[in-house]
Amino acid sequence: MVRRNLNDLLAFVTVAREGSFTRAAAALGVTQSALSQTIRALEERLQIRLLTRTTRSVSPTSAGERLMQAIGNRFDEIEAELDALTELRDKPAGTVRITCGDYVLHSVLLPKLAPVLREYPDIRLEFDVNYGFRDIVADRFNAGVRLGKTIDKDMIAVPIGPPMRLAVVASPDYFKAHGKPKVPQDLMMHQCINQRMQSSGGLYVWDFERRGQQMNVRVDGQLIFNTTQPQVDAALAGLGITLLPEDELTPYLEDSRLLRVLEDWCPKFEGYHLYYPSRRQPSPAFSLIVQALRITNPRSTMR
């Protein structure tokens, strides 16, 4: 009886978190019809509806929200303790889930973590490439990667990359046809390549600073993307000016396919950080990941 109750409750928590019977069934390794029957039996046993179902989504009722708050974190705690038991093994094991952007994934995470994977074959890494500000606790990630200044204060933030700078760039043909901006306000007279922010849904506001003077510019243009590589491609094609981390633009700047402007308005700032909840007990596998990614003295090159 207890085992059946736990399985039913785990099924409910998974459906509520995924917001979809299809995704929850895939996560649990069961059929969608079997999962639906499990939830229906749980609701009948409790004599209360836990989920509201529509043709497009599934969401908890008020009773379902109350149940989620009561038991959701308990399952996370059990999973964390099971992961911690790997301390008793000869080698750490388990799955570590990280949400991040694609550039930091291939430029920082994979190069640094490849030796860990080779040395510890029982460790698995799952990456979620996403530019939005994911709730890593609610979405059950072990960690996320963001720029240091955007991380909530209640998270542990570990520097994994050096300080960064943004670069304002366009192709030589674009600047030949339209001229170069001298100050950030001039960008409002240019075709600029915008980025849609996945979390807020708004467009990214270009921010600048020089000698303590800060300036925000809302640019306009014909193109809007939600990831960075298409912005590079559009700039190379002469379709406008883009603002991106200079590391992503280095090869194009070195061979002059892109030219940089307003460099004195783009100071260095804190780079990428791995962040995770302070109250969660890290597993041995996760501790190895943090150790492999951490850099020392990240501020030493901020000048």
Side-chain angles (χ1 to χ4, degrees):
M1 184 68 173
V2 173
R3 178 180 178 183
R4 186 185 69 182
N5 288 348
L6 289 177
N7 288 341
D8 293 353
L9 292 173
L10 177 59
F12 161 72
V13 169
T14 305
V15 174
R17 282 174 167 168
E18 294 291 341
S20 163
F21 274 91
T22 301
R23 292 194 296 270
L28 293 169
V30 299
T31 65
Q32 188 173 340
S33 60
L35 180 58
S36 181
Q37 292 175 7
T38 298
I39 298 299
R40 189 177 301 112
L42 176 62
E43 290 178 325
E44 290 175 355
R45 187 167 73 251
L46 297 177
Q47 296 184 353
I48 192 168
R49 181 173 291 276
L50 299 173
L51 297 169
T52 298
R53 305 163 178 83
T54 68
T55 56
R56 295 188 176 183
S57 65
V58 179
S59 60
T61 64
S62 57
E65 287 284 1
R66 181 174 177 177
L67 183 59
M68 273 292 296
Q69 292 176 5
I71 68 172
N73 290 336
R74 304 292 176 86
F75 281 106
D76 294 338
E77 291 170 1
I78 292 172
E79 185 175 359
E81 289 300 325
L82 291 175
D83 287 341
L85 288 178
T86 61
E87 292 179 346
L88 304 178
R89 294 167 51 106
D90 292 335
K91 290 188 176 181
T95 300
V96 176
R97 302 181 69 232
I98 301 174
T99 180
C100 60
D102 54 1
Y103 178 75
V104 70
L105 174 58
H106 72 74
S107 65
V108 177
L109 300 182
L110 287 180
K112 287 190 173 184
L113 295 179
V116 176
L117 294 176
R118 285 191 286 266
E119 185 174 355
Y120 299 98
D122 293 330
I123 291 179
R124 294 185 179 184
L125 295 178
E126 178 181 345
F127 294 102
D128 169 77
V129 176
N130 194 295
Y131 282 83
F133 286 175
R134 299 290 297 269
D135 184 337
I136 62 173
V137 176
D139 295 337
R140 304 183 71 195
F141 288 102
N142 297 96
V145 176
R146 287 188 200 167
L147 297 176
K149 62 182 180 179
T150 64
I151 298 174
D152 295 337
K153 300 300 183 183
D154 61 343
M155 293 284 173
I156 295 176
V158 177
I160 63 172
M164 299 176 61
R165 294 181 72 191
L166 294 176
V168 183
V169 301
S171 70
D173 289 342
Y174 177 87
F175 284 136
K176 182 177 180 181
H178 302 280
K180 294 182 179 180
K182 306 296 184 184
V183 292
Q185 298 96 316
D186 293 346
L187 291 167
M188 292 186 287
M189 306 300 295
H190 284 266
Q191 286 288 332
C192 294
I193 302 166
N194 263 307
Q195 179 168 330
R196 179 77 65 184
M197 305 303 291
Q198 291 186 6
S199 298
S200 65
L203 297 179
Y204 177 68
V205 178
W206 294 15
D207 53 342
F208 300 94
E209 182 181 345
R210 186 179 68 172
R211 294 193 291 271
Q213 179 185 2
Q214 296 183 346
M215 186 175 300
N216 296 327
V217 181
R218 293 185 180 273
V219 299
D220 196 13
Q222 295 177 285
L223 291 171
I224 301 173
F225 299 102
N226 68 340
T227 58
T228 59
Q229 188 56 48
Q231 296 177 63
V232 177
D233 296 338
L236 290 169
L239 297 176
I241 300 174
T242 190
L243 174 71
L244 291 170
E246 63 179 2
D247 288 354
E248 300 188 40
L249 302 168
T250 298
Y252 313 107
L253 293 171
E254 288 179 345
D255 62 14
S256 298
R257 281 184 288 169
L258 292 176
L259 301 179
R260 186 171 188 172
V261 295
L262 303 176
E263 187 170 357
D264 58 337
W265 282 94
C266 299
K268 290 185 177 182
F269 55 90
E270 287 186 287
Y272 288 115
H273 286 60
L274 185 81
Y275 68 98
Y276 54 95
S278 58
R279 64 180 180 274
R280 181 175 294 176
Q281 179 67 28
S283 68
F286 183 69
S287 296
L288 280 173
I289 298 304
V290 175
Q291 181 180 350
L293 293 175
R294 184 191 300 270
I295 65 169
T296 58
N297 299 323
R299 297 178 179 271
S300 60
T301 57
M302 286 286 286
R303 299 174 184 174

